[in-house]
Amino acid sequence: MNHKYRVGIIGTGGIARTHARGYRSLDSAELVAGADISQSAIDNFAAEFEIAGRYTDLDEMLKKENLDIVSVCTWPGTHSPATVAAAQAGVKAILCEKPMAVSLGQADAMVEACEQNGTKLAIGHHHRFNSCNTEARRLIAAGAIGQPTLVHSRSGGGLSNNGTHAIDRMRYWLGDPDTEWVIGQVERRTDRYERAEPIEDLCVGIIGFTGGTRGILESDTPASDAPDVGTLIYGTEGMLKISGNSLYAQNAEGAGWRQLDVPQDTNQFVELIGWIEGKNEHRNQAKHGRAVVEIMMAIYESARTKGLVRLPLETKDSPLVMMIEDGTLAVEKDGKYDIRLN
Ligand SMILES: NC(=O)c1ccc[n+]([C@@H]2O[C@H](COP(=O)([O-])OP(=O)(O)OC[C@H]3O[C@@H](n4cnc5c(N)ncnc54)[C@H](O)[C@@H]3O)[C@@H](O)[C@H]2O)c1
């Protein structure tokens, strides 16, 4: 084909390189520009990927480069304004890294700007393209474990950092059910941040999905001597286990845990092009990223209001930030630190 989609990346650090390689692997896309607030970050990136368009001001890039696709690879707190700016510049599609946003209000602003400008928005929850996860979703839909009753996951490094993947995986396996309620608990005794945003020391959440399945997420709970068995998905007629890149089943089809063959899946960049060209939906389209933000914020809101939170969540600001600011989550050990940035 002659036409190549013009791609620009906002935030040219670590994950931007994965995006750059993803676009490079496509015949139909050409990486033409990048923008970063750090001069050295954009200079290094532009040299590595041999792109002429290098900017320290994303608005200038959006104005000059006539982009079709933008990847937002900045820190979480800037995903929303960067996405809104790209949508308002009229790009066809945006792939924004996870977490979609750090408040429900920010996520809604992204959805609204993209709807108003006809921009397709996908979120980088790329675990949906892990072949094991896709096969688990297919098996559950096919009734391989009967009615799913419970999903238990452990995660670490902050709810908004890795917990966002864990919740997104739960929804993906279960066929993206709505959420009826959330109850959770949050501890933040240290002044902990992740890529410039405040995070908790630890939290837990129980998620009540429509249809009756429960999700239990432990995030940064103390390490125990219990073996890490990955994630277990329980059903009325069996269980699935996902550990690393392997999928196991235990059901009426055989004795004990059986490792399953898993067909190879596609990737989020290929699916983005297909979505632009009207072939299908994107499995990471914004409504799923927003659903995850809503659940994460509902865990915080449950801690703030000391009770069960029924969705839809009305609170648009981050309840975590509200609890930090009003002293509910008072730091007991002084010294702000960021687990990712120096
Ligand atoms: N999907 C995944 O598995 C995965 C893996 C790693 C990181 N991520 C996500 O990607 C995002 C970036 O993480 P990273 O590890 O690449 O961080 P990073 O620090 O390596 O890179 C981020 C870059 O964004 C730049 N930046 C910050 N604010 C900006 C702004 N307003 N405008 C332009 N540039 C700005 C920084 O200068 C930096 O160069 C985070 O949201 C992170 O959670 C996702």
Side-chain angles (χ1 to χ4, degrees):
M1 80 183 272
N2 294 327
H3 175 73
K4 284 183 181 260
Y5 295 109
R6 291 174 60 79
V7 180
I9 297 184
I10 303 175
T12 56
I15 200 67
R17 286 163 165 79
T18 302
H19 286 235
R21 286 189 284 272
Y23 293 118
R24 278 276 166 93
S25 72
L26 306 173
D27 291 336
S28 55
E30 183 182 13
L31 179 61
V32 296
D36 199 295
I37 48 172
S38 156
Q39 184 73 57
S40 62
I42 182 56
D43 285 347
N44 292 338
F45 183 82
E48 188 177 333
F49 291 95
E50 297 173 328
I51 53 170
R54 52 180 79 183
Y55 300 87
T56 51
D57 177 358
L58 72 93
D59 291 320
E60 192 185 347
M61 176 178 82
L62 292 169
K63 200 169 159 193
K64 288 189 177 162
E65 292 287 347
N66 191 26
L67 300 172
D68 299 302
I69 299 173
V70 164
S71 269
V72 175
C73 297
T74 57
W75 301 319
T78 56
H79 289 177
S80 183
T83 297
V84 169
Q88 288 174 346
V91 305
K92 290 185 174 64
I94 299 170
L95 178 56
C96 174
E97 263 307 332
K98 47 59 59 172
M100 179 177 181
V102 293
S103 73
L104 194 57
Q106 283 191 354
D108 283 344
M110 297 160 80
V111 170
E112 192 181 321
C114 288
E115 279 177 2
Q116 280 176 355
N117 292 283
T119 303
K120 296 182 178 343
L121 173 60
I123 307 302
H125 284 129
H126 65 91
H127 296 192
R128 285 178 179 241
F129 294 89
N130 176 304
S131 305
C132 284
N133 294 330
T134 300
E135 182 64 359
R137 176 179 165 109
R138 189 191 70 74
L139 286 168
I140 291 168
I145 60 167
Q147 171 72 22
T149 54
L150 177 66
V151 184
H152 177 228
S153 293
R154 280 194 215 147
S155 178
L159 179 62
S160 60
N161 180 23
N162 292 323
T164 189
H165 277 309
I167 295 169
D168 187 63
R169 287 193 303 263
M170 284 185 192
R171 293 190 69 255
Y172 185 55
W173 294 322
L174 298 173
D176 292 314
D178 289 338
T179 298
E180 289 182 359
W181 52 262
V182 171
I183 187 161
Q185 180 58 287
V186 179
E187 176 175 303
R188 188 175 189 273
R189 299 190 199 283
T190 71
D191 207 7
R192 192 179 192 218
Y193 285 71
E194 189 271 330
R195 294 184 179 96
E197 291 300 314
I199 57 169
E200 66 293 327
D201 293 337
L202 65 90
C203 68
V204 292
I206 302 177
I207 305 157
F209 292 110
T210 300
T213 313
R214 299 319 194 222
I216 298 178
L217 176 68
E218 299 180 44
S219 180
D220 294 301
T221 47
S224 77
D225 293 337
D228 185 2
V229 293
T231 289
L232 286 168
I233 308 169
Y234 302 84
T236 53
E237 308 291 334
M239 288 190 279
L240 293 179
K241 178 168 72 173
I242 297 166
S243 186
N245 277 325
S246 301
L247 174 65
Y248 304 84
Q250 199 172 134
N251 58 12
E253 287 181 26
W257 285 113
R258 290 171 293 112
Q259 186 169 357
L260 305 178
D261 290 332
V262 171
Q264 185 62 39
D265 208 342
T266 182
N267 69 52
Q268 59 184 343
F269 305 99
V270 171
E271 198 156 295
L272 192 69
I273 299 297
W275 195 26
I276 292 172
E277 296 182 345
K279 288 182 193 144
N280 47 25
E281 296 196 321
H282 200 286
R283 73 187 79 176
N284 272 336
Q285 59 192 293
K287 65 180 178 184
H288 298 306
R290 185 196 184 278
V292 175
V293 173
E294 188 176 25
I295 292 169
M296 294 193 297
M297 294 302 134
I299 291 173
Y300 295 146
E301 183 68 343
S302 172
R304 191 178 79 88
T305 59
K306 301 182 177 61
L308 188 120
V309 173
R310 292 190 187 281
L311 268 52
L313 182 66
E314 302 296 336
T315 310
K316 299 296 176 179
D317 292 334
S318 164
L320 178 72
V321 173
M322 290 160 76
M323 287 189 287
I324 294 169
E325 288 179 349
D326 72 12
T328 305
L329 290 176
V331 167
E332 293 175 5
K333 191 178 163 203
D334 281 342
K336 177 178 172 177
Y337 65 102
D338 194 306
I339 63 172
R340 297 298 297 243
L341 305 176
N342 294 320

Short mmCIF file of all heavy atoms in Angstrom, two decimals, residues 82-116:
data_model
loop_
_atom_site.label_atom_id
_atom_site.label_comp_id
_atom_site.label_asym_id
_atom_site.label_seq_id
_atom_site.Cartn_x
_atom_site.Cartn_y
_atom_site.Cartn_z
N ALA A 82 -2.66 14.89 27.73
CA ALA A 82 -1.99 14.59 26.45
C ALA A 82 -2.98 13.96 25.47
O ALA A 82 -2.98 14.27 24.27
CB ALA A 82 -0.80 13.65 26.69
N THR A 83 -3.83 13.08 25.97
CA THR A 83 -4.83 12.44 25.10
C THR A 83 -5.85 13.45 24.60
O THR A 83 -6.22 13.46 23.41
CB THR A 83 -5.54 11.30 25.88
OG1 THR A 83 -4.57 10.32 26.22
CG2 THR A 83 -6.65 10.67 25.07
N VAL A 84 -6.29 14.34 25.50
CA VAL A 84 -7.26 15.36 25.09
C VAL A 84 -6.64 16.26 24.01
O VAL A 84 -7.28 16.57 23.00
CB VAL A 84 -7.71 16.19 26.32
CG1 VAL A 84 -8.50 17.42 25.89
CG2 VAL A 84 -8.55 15.32 27.27
N ALA A 85 -5.38 16.64 24.19
CA ALA A 85 -4.71 17.50 23.20
C ALA A 85 -4.62 16.80 21.85
O ALA A 85 -4.87 17.40 20.80
CB ALA A 85 -3.32 17.89 23.70
N ALA A 86 -4.27 15.51 21.86
CA ALA A 86 -4.14 14.78 20.60
C ALA A 86 -5.49 14.63 19.91
O ALA A 86 -5.60 14.76 18.69
CB ALA A 86 -3.51 13.41 20.86
N ALA A 87 -6.54 14.38 20.69
CA ALA A 87 -7.88 14.26 20.10
C ALA A 87 -8.31 15.59 19.49
O ALA A 87 -8.84 15.63 18.37
CB ALA A 87 -8.88 13.81 21.17
N GLN A 88 -8.04 16.67 20.22
CA GLN A 88 -8.44 17.99 19.71
C GLN A 88 -7.65 18.38 18.47
O GLN A 88 -8.10 19.19 17.67
CB GLN A 88 -8.29 19.04 20.82
CG GLN A 88 -9.37 18.87 21.89
CD GLN A 88 -9.19 19.77 23.10
OE1 GLN A 88 -8.12 20.36 23.30
NE2 GLN A 88 -10.22 19.86 23.92
N ALA A 89 -6.47 17.77 18.30
CA ALA A 89 -5.69 18.03 17.09
C ALA A 89 -6.22 17.23 15.90
O ALA A 89 -5.76 17.38 14.77
CB ALA A 89 -4.22 17.70 17.33
N GLY A 90 -7.18 16.32 16.18
CA GLY A 90 -7.85 15.61 15.09
C GLY A 90 -7.20 14.32 14.63
O GLY A 90 -7.43 13.88 13.51
N VAL A 91 -6.39 13.69 15.48
CA VAL A 91 -5.78 12.42 15.04
C VAL A 91 -6.85 11.33 14.95
O VAL A 91 -7.89 11.40 15.59
CB VAL A 91 -4.62 11.97 15.99
CG1 VAL A 91 -3.58 13.09 16.11
CG2 VAL A 91 -5.14 11.55 17.35
N LYS A 92 -6.56 10.31 14.15
CA LYS A 92 -7.54 9.24 13.95
C LYS A 92 -7.62 8.31 15.16
O LYS A 92 -8.69 7.84 15.53
CB LYS A 92 -7.15 8.38 12.74
CG LYS A 92 -7.29 9.06 11.40
CD LYS A 92 -6.98 8.05 10.28
CE LYS A 92 -7.24 8.64 8.91
NZ LYS A 92 -6.37 9.77 8.58
N ALA A 93 -6.46 8.01 15.75
CA ALA A 93 -6.45 7.03 16.84
C ALA A 93 -5.35 7.35 17.83
O ALA A 93 -4.29 7.88 17.47
CB ALA A 93 -6.25 5.62 16.29
N ILE A 94 -5.61 7.00 19.09
CA ILE A 94 -4.64 7.19 20.18
C ILE A 94 -4.50 5.87 20.92
O ILE A 94 -5.50 5.23 21.24
CB ILE A 94 -5.12 8.28 21.17
CG1 ILE A 94 -5.28 9.63 20.46
CG2 ILE A 94 -4.14 8.42 22.35
CD1 ILE A 94 -5.98 10.70 21.30
N LEU A 95 -3.26 5.50 21.16
CA LEU A 95 -2.99 4.36 22.05
C LEU A 95 -2.32 4.95 23.29
O LEU A 95 -1.17 5.38 23.23
CB LEU A 95 -2.07 3.34 21.36
CG LEU A 95 -1.68 2.12 22.19
CD1 LEU A 95 -2.90 1.36 22.70
CD2 LEU A 95 -0.79 1.18 21.37
N CYS A 96 -3.08 4.99 24.39
CA CYS A 96 -2.57 5.61 25.62
C CYS A 96 -2.16 4.52 26.59
O CYS A 96 -2.91 3.57 26.83
CB CYS A 96 -3.65 6.49 26.25
SG CYS A 96 -3.18 7.15 27.86
N GLU A 97 -0.99 4.69 27.17
CA GLU A 97 -0.50 3.68 28.13
C GLU A 97 -1.39 3.58 29.36
O GLU A 97 -2.15 4.47 29.69
CB GLU A 97 0.96 4.00 28.53
CG GLU A 97 1.98 3.23 27.73
CD GLU A 97 1.72 1.71 27.75
OE1 GLU A 97 1.14 1.20 28.71
OE2 GLU A 97 2.08 1.04 26.77
N LYS A 98 -1.22 2.47 30.07
CA LYS A 98 -1.93 2.26 31.33
C LYS A 98 -1.20 2.99 32.44
O LYS A 98 0.00 3.23 32.27
CB LYS A 98 -2.06 0.77 31.67
CG LYS A 98 -0.81 -0.10 31.54
CD LYS A 98 0.45 0.15 32.30
CE LYS A 98 0.48 0.18 33.77
NZ LYS A 98 1.85 0.25 34.35
N PRO A 99 -1.85 3.33 33.55
CA PRO A 99 -3.29 3.32 33.72
C PRO A 99 -3.90 4.39 32.84
O PRO A 99 -3.25 5.41 32.56
CB PRO A 99 -3.45 3.66 35.20
CG PRO A 99 -2.29 4.56 35.50
CD PRO A 99 -1.16 3.98 34.69
N MET A 100 -5.15 4.20 32.43
CA MET A 100 -5.77 5.20 31.55
C MET A 100 -5.65 6.59 32.17
O MET A 100 -5.32 7.55 31.47
CB MET A 100 -7.24 4.84 31.34
CG MET A 100 -8.00 5.82 30.48
SD MET A 100 -9.69 5.23 30.24
CE MET A 100 -10.35 6.54 29.19
N ALA A 101 -5.92 6.70 33.47
CA ALA A 101 -5.88 8.00 34.15
C ALA A 101 -5.79 7.75 35.65
O ALA A 101 -5.94 6.62 36.10
CB ALA A 101 -7.14 8.80 33.82
N VAL A 102 -5.58 8.81 36.40
CA VAL A 102 -5.46 8.66 37.85
C VAL A 102 -6.68 9.19 38.60
O VAL A 102 -6.67 9.33 39.82
CB VAL A 102 -4.15 9.29 38.39
CG1 VAL A 102 -2.95 8.51 37.87
CG2 VAL A 102 -4.05 10.76 38.02
N SER A 103 -7.75 9.49 37.85
CA SER A 103 -9.05 9.77 38.47
C SER A 103 -10.11 9.47 37.42
O SER A 103 -9.83 9.47 36.21
CB SER A 103 -9.16 11.23 38.93
OG SER A 103 -9.30 12.08 37.81
N LEU A 104 -11.34 9.26 37.90
CA LEU A 104 -12.42 8.97 36.95
C LEU A 104 -12.75 10.20 36.12
O LEU A 104 -13.07 10.10 34.94
CB LEU A 104 -13.66 8.49 37.73
CG LEU A 104 -14.75 7.83 36.89
CD1 LEU A 104 -14.22 6.64 36.10
CD2 LEU A 104 -15.91 7.40 37.78
N GLY A 105 -12.63 11.38 36.72
CA GLY A 105 -12.88 12.62 35.99
C GLY A 105 -11.91 12.77 34.82
O GLY A 105 -12.30 13.17 33.71
N GLN A 106 -10.64 12.43 35.05
CA GLN A 106 -9.65 12.50 33.97
C GLN A 106 -9.99 11.51 32.85
O GLN A 106 -9.86 11.81 31.66
CB GLN A 106 -8.27 12.15 34.50
CG GLN A 106 -7.60 13.25 35.29
CD GLN A 106 -6.14 12.94 35.56
OE1 GLN A 106 -5.65 11.86 35.26
NE2 GLN A 106 -5.43 13.88 36.15
N ALA A 107 -10.42 10.31 33.23
CA ALA A 107 -10.77 9.30 32.21
C ALA A 107 -11.96 9.78 31.39
O ALA A 107 -12.00 9.66 30.16
CB ALA A 107 -11.08 7.96 32.88
N ASP A 108 -12.94 10.37 32.07
CA ASP A 108 -14.13 10.86 31.35
C ASP A 108 -13.76 11.98 30.38
O ASP A 108 -14.32 12.06 29.28
CB ASP A 108 -15.18 11.35 32.36
CG ASP A 108 -15.91 10.19 33.01
OD1 ASP A 108 -15.83 9.06 32.48
OD2 ASP A 108 -16.56 10.40 34.05
N ALA A 109 -12.82 12.84 30.77
CA ALA A 109 -12.39 13.92 29.87
C ALA A 109 -11.78 13.34 28.59
O ALA A 109 -11.98 13.87 27.49
CB ALA A 109 -11.38 14.83 30.58
N MET A 110 -11.05 12.23 28.74
CA MET A 110 -10.43 11.59 27.57
C MET A 110 -11.50 11.01 26.64
O MET A 110 -11.46 11.20 25.42
CB MET A 110 -9.50 10.46 28.04
CG MET A 110 -8.34 10.95 28.88
SD MET A 110 -7.58 9.66 29.88
CE MET A 110 -6.54 8.82 28.69
N VAL A 111 -12.46 10.31 27.24
CA VAL A 111 -13.53 9.70 26.44
C VAL A 111 -14.32 10.79 25.71
O VAL A 111 -14.61 10.69 24.51
CB VAL A 111 -14.47 8.86 27.35
CG1 VAL A 111 -15.71 8.42 26.60
CG2 VAL A 111 -13.72 7.66 27.90
N GLU A 112 -14.62 11.86 26.44
CA GLU A 112 -15.43 12.93 25.84
C GLU A 112 -14.69 13.61 24.69
O GLU A 112 -15.26 13.80 23.61
CB GLU A 112 -15.75 13.96 26.94
CG GLU A 112 -16.81 14.96 26.53
CD GLU A 112 -17.06 15.97 27.66
OE1 GLU A 112 -17.07 15.57 28.84
OE2 GLU A 112 -17.21 17.16 27.33
N ALA A 113 -13.41 13.91 24.88
CA ALA A 113 -12.65 14.59 23.82
C ALA A 113 -12.55 13.68 22.59
O ALA A 113 -12.64 14.16 21.45
CB ALA A 113 -11.25 14.96 24.32
N CYS A 114 -12.36 12.39 22.81
CA CYS A 114 -12.24 11.47 21.67
C CYS A 114 -13.57 11.31 20.95
O CYS A 114 -13.62 11.27 19.72
CB CYS A 114 -11.66 10.13 22.13
SG CYS A 114 -9.91 10.28 22.55
N GLU A 115 -14.66 11.25 21.72
CA GLU A 115 -15.98 11.15 21.08
C GLU A 115 -16.27 12.41 20.26
O GLU A 115 -16.75 12.34 19.13
CB GLU A 115 -17.06 10.94 22.14
CG GLU A 115 -17.15 9.48 22.58
CD GLU A 115 -18.16 9.24 23.70
OE1 GLU A 115 -18.85 10.21 24.12
OE2 GLU A 115 -18.24 8.09 24.14
N GLN A 116 -15.95 13.56 20.82
CA GLN A 116 -16.26 14.83 20.13
C GLN A 116 -15.46 14.99 18.85
O GLN A 116 -15.90 15.64 17.92
CB GLN A 116 -15.96 16.00 21.07
CG GLN A 116 -17.06 16.24 22.08
CD GLN A 116 -16.71 17.34 23.07
OE1 GLN A 116 -15.59 17.88 23.05
NE2 GLN A 116 -17.66 17.66 23.94
#
